Amino acid sequence: MINKKPTIQMVADKAGVSRGTVDRVLNNRSHVSPDVYERVMAAIQETGYLTPRSTYQKTLFGQGFPPIKLGVLLPNWTGHFRWEIMRGIEAAQAELTDFHVKILVEECETDIPEESIEKLDALLEAGIQGAAVCTMNDPSIEEKIRSLTQKDIPVITFNSDLPGTDRLCFIGQDYNKSGRIAAELISKCIPSTGRILAAAGNLEFDGHRARLDGFCTRMSEIGFPRDQIQVIETYNNYQLTYKKVLSALQEDPAIKAIYMANRSVAGCTKAVETAQKKGEIRIICHDMSEHTKSLLLDGTIDFSISQDLHRQGYLPLIYLRDYLHKQKLPPTQDTAANISILCSQNL
């Protein structure tokens, strides 16, 4: 009996979805739920299906490359951010397995710089030859990254940059620009005398700081003085976000808009609801989880400025492999830097 070559239809049947859904998962063309994504990936693994591109690459390039290990350092972030980044890492691993590439992941549990350094040391002890890193800005971490590059271990930063190091490149959004876009949107929604609450996650991360700097700079250029903007730092924590936003709304009734430059959007919207100001305060946030989507659809949030987190997890590993196996430098134009503005009408 001759075994049939696995097809995309076999994957679809195994996962209980349409061929179009399988295609979207394979090509990251649109968002699918975590449950559907996991079912499709499990079906791909069980059937042994390979895309035409993967089959070609396996045949043409799969032989002759020495085994390499790549390390990934992630911050202590959860939810949508972690899921999308891990989805990108898993996609890279699936593509690079035939090139003898193994990917090791270390995740921090705190925002303490010493833990990031310990995790990097663990990856080094495991024998990595390249690293993809998302961590905070701290002199000790920057020094650690420089020590890696001095040992000819290339480092690519993603999502949040470490511009003071000799990293190979950065994969992520132009956060200063995305903050400026948020300012432009808010300026169209409130009077010039309206006060604004800006909630940042952790300003020790370059991405968070750049986003806030871009926002405040553009608001000033438009004609909103800096003293009209109150900044709070919530460390992406739901309870802390809820408490600080609610306190700010109770203490300052003149607040007309909230800029969520962090990920605890649910804590913010709950505080607005508790303060009985839903519909009165304009809210602009970043990224697109299922919960954020529902808040946009019901009008709780006005706009979300999204980024491609999947490719931020995927591209650093592809670029590291190309650099180590083929001495190919990453492209100068970052292909994961797209900025999209989403509202209830274009989801």
Side-chain angles (χ1 to χ4, degrees):
M1 181 177 180
I2 299 175
N3 292 327
K4 291 184 178 180
K5 181 181 177 181
T7 65
I8 196 170
Q9 186 61 57
M10 291 170 63
V11 174
D13 292 342
K14 188 80 174 176
V17 299
S18 68
R19 290 182 57 170
T21 298
V22 176
D23 182 66
R24 287 195 294 275
V25 170
L26 289 171
N27 295 287
N28 193 38
R29 286 181 178 155
S30 64
H31 181 72
V32 298
S33 69
D35 175 64
V36 170
Y37 175 80
E38 289 171 4
R39 279 162 44 205
V40 171
M41 292 305 291
I44 290 171
Q45 191 169 27
E46 288 180 35
T47 60
Y49 173 75
L50 290 173
T51 65
R53 179 189 178 195
S54 296
T55 302
Y56 173 77
Q57 289 179 329
K58 182 176 181 180
T59 302
L60 188 62
F61 300 118
Q63 305 299 322
F65 290 111
I68 58 174
K69 290 181 182 179
L70 301 177
V72 180
L73 177 66
L74 295 177
N76 64 329
W77 294 349
T78 58
H80 175 72
F81 167 84
R82 183 186 181 279
W83 190 81
E84 284 291 317
I85 291 291
M86 287 302 299
R87 193 163 70 90
I89 293 170
E90 290 165 4
Q93 180 63 87
E95 184 171 325
L96 295 177
T97 295
D98 291 322
F99 298 99
H100 316 299
V101 176
K102 183 177 182 180
I103 298 171
L104 308 177
V105 180
E106 288 282 349
E107 299 184 62
C108 292
E109 296 179 0
T110 70
D111 285 333
I112 300 173
E114 287 76 15
E115 185 186 13
S116 293
I117 293 173
E118 289 174 3
K119 297 293 185 181
L120 285 170
D121 284 337
L123 290 170
L124 285 172
E125 290 177 12
I128 64 163
Q129 289 129 298
V133 173
C134 176
T135 186
M136 68 188 69
N137 293 79
D138 183 86
S140 62
I141 294 176
E142 292 178 352
E143 180 58 35
K144 185 66 177 181
I145 299 301
R146 282 191 287 269
S147 74
L148 295 183
T149 59
Q150 288 168 5
K151 296 175 184 176
D152 293 325
I153 298 175
V155 175
I156 292 179
T157 56
F158 65 95
N159 191 260
S160 190
D161 198 10
L162 294 170
T165 65
D166 299 322
R167 67 352 178 223
L168 195 60
C169 70
F170 167 65
I171 305 296
Q173 199 175 69
D174 182 335
Y175 292 111
N176 186 277
K177 184 176 181 180
S178 69
R180 291 177 66 87
I181 290 172
E184 196 75 26
L185 291 169
I186 281 184
S187 72
K188 310 297 184 186
C189 300
I190 65 172
S192 59
T193 55
R195 291 184 57 76
I196 301 162
L197 178 66
N202 184 342
L203 294 177
E204 291 183 7
F205 282 85
D206 178 77
H208 292 204
R209 190 168 58 249
R211 218 176 240 169
L212 183 64
D213 287 346
F215 178 79
C216 291
T217 299
R218 183 55 185 155
M219 291 305 294
S220 177
E221 293 170 356
I222 295 170
F224 288 75
R226 182 63 181 82
D227 59 10
Q228 279 182 226
I229 304 172
Q230 178 184 349
V231 177
I232 58 174
E233 197 171 6
T234 66
Y235 301 95
N236 298 310
N237 179 275
Y238 175 92
Q239 292 294 342
L240 188 58
T241 300
Y242 173 80
K243 181 179 178 181
K244 286 194 171 186
V245 171
L246 181 59
S247 176
L249 294 176
Q250 291 171 338
E251 293 174 6
D252 189 353
I255 291 175
K256 299 298 182 183
I258 300 176
Y259 172 45
M260 289 295 295
N262 69 356
R263 297 183 296 106
S264 299
V265 178
C268 168
T269 56
K270 185 63 177 177
V272 171
E273 183 181 336
T274 301
Q276 298 183 330
K277 289 182 176 289
K278 183 177 178 180
E280 299 178 22
I281 292 180
R282 305 276 70 83
I283 300 176
I284 292 178
C285 67
H286 289 270
D287 301 331
M288 182 53 62
S289 67
E290 285 298 316
H291 185 61
T292 301
K293 181 178 179 180
S294 68
L295 293 172
L296 279 169
L297 288 172
D298 72 10
T300 302
I301 294 172
D302 295 279
F303 299 99
S304 182
I305 302 168
S306 71
Q307 59 182 321
D308 195 338
L309 293 170
H310 173 275
R311 289 182 72 75
Q312 289 180 25
Y314 169 83
L315 284 178
L317 300 164
I318 301 299
Y319 290 164
L320 283 169
R321 180 262 161 178
D322 285 346
Y323 182 77
L324 290 167
H325 271 165
K326 300 186 286 185
Q327 292 73 55
K328 180 181 177 182
L329 290 170
T332 55
Q333 180 95 23
D334 176 17
T335 54
N338 293 337
I339 298 175
S340 300
I341 301 171
L342 301 173
C343 65
S344 63
Q345 300 305 304
N346 69 346
L347 289 176

